[in-house]
Amino acid sequence: QKEVEQNSGPLSVPEGAIASLNCTYSDRVSQSFFWYRQYSGKSPELIMSIYSNGDKEDGRFTAQLNKASQYVSLLIRDSQPSDSATYLCAVSNSGYALNFGKGTSLLVTP
Amino acid sequence: NAGVTQTPKFQVLKTGQSMTLQCAQDMNHNSMYWYRQDPGMGLRLIYYSASEGTTDKGEVPNGYNVSRLNKREFSLRLESAAPSQTSVYFCASVSGSSEQYFGPGTRLTVT
């Protein structure tokens, strides 16, 4: 069973702080890793993809991948109330399927 | 570019009725997928199409059929709706690097 695990939260951070979202996966041959943001009642929106070990930065978002530890994280700097959403981690082994975690709910408080 | 579009946005069916959910993409992707999302269950793959002319079952295909009409369009059909099919349905268009781009979803209630 290929699993992607996320803490369901809610993770509450004050405005301006760094939000750290974590994800672990069980399939060692996974090659592609994604973070999606989903606002309540809306569809998932791709915000970051990462394919190799290390950090990848895009604006206020940084994705971190450690394949040896089977761990991927998303950091959101200078968190804003508009970042309040559910964040889905997704993992692919280059086969047909993306395995999604159930998501972490983030609440940024003013 | 519209990206991925889905129709209808909302639908209420009675048990036993049939319907087709439509999905279209203008991203020139080969692969398209159908998911359902239920509270506490996350996103589950129903069917996928790796390329025009091919379709395959995902994790939860029972009660559904699909048609890949052409490269742009991928439809999902419920032949005899059941209350267990009450869900939010998402279509996704998939890039060559496995990035998935989702449509706005169809919220289906079966009574």
Side-chain angles (χ1 to χ4, degrees), chain A residues 1 32 34 36 38 40-46 48-49 51 56 88 92 94-98 100-102, chain B residues 6 33 35 37 40-43 45 48 50 57-59 90 95 97-105 107:
Chain A
Q1 181 79 5
S32 306
F34 307 92
Y36 288 82
Q38 186 172 24
S40 180
K42 301 295 186 182
S43 59
E45 174 192 8
L46 179 67
M48 290 288 285
S49 55
Y51 303 97
K56 179 181 177 182
L88 305 174
S92 170
S94 80
Y96 69 89
L98 268 189
F100 283 88
K102 294 183 180 178
Chain B
Q6 291 183 238
Y33 291 10
Y35 291 93
Q37 187 175 40
M41 300 295 292
L43 282 160
L45 182 64
Y48 68 100
K57 295 177 181 179
E59 179 186 356
F90 291 109
S95 74
S97 51
S98 299
E99 295 176 339
Q100 299 200 7
Y101 298 89
F102 287 82
R107 283 146 185 82

Side-chain angles (χ1 to χ4, degrees), chain B residues 3 10-12 21 25 27 30 33-35 39 46 49 56 58 70 73 75 78 80 85 98 103-105 111:
Chain B
F10 300 94
Q11 185 71 50
V12 179
L21 284 66
Q25 54 97 1
M27 308 176 82
N30 288 321
Y33 291 10
W34 277 105
Y35 291 93
I46 305 171
S49 171
D56 284 286
N70 48 55
E73 299 173 288
S75 63
L78 286 69
S80 179
Q85 295 178 304
S98 299
T111 61

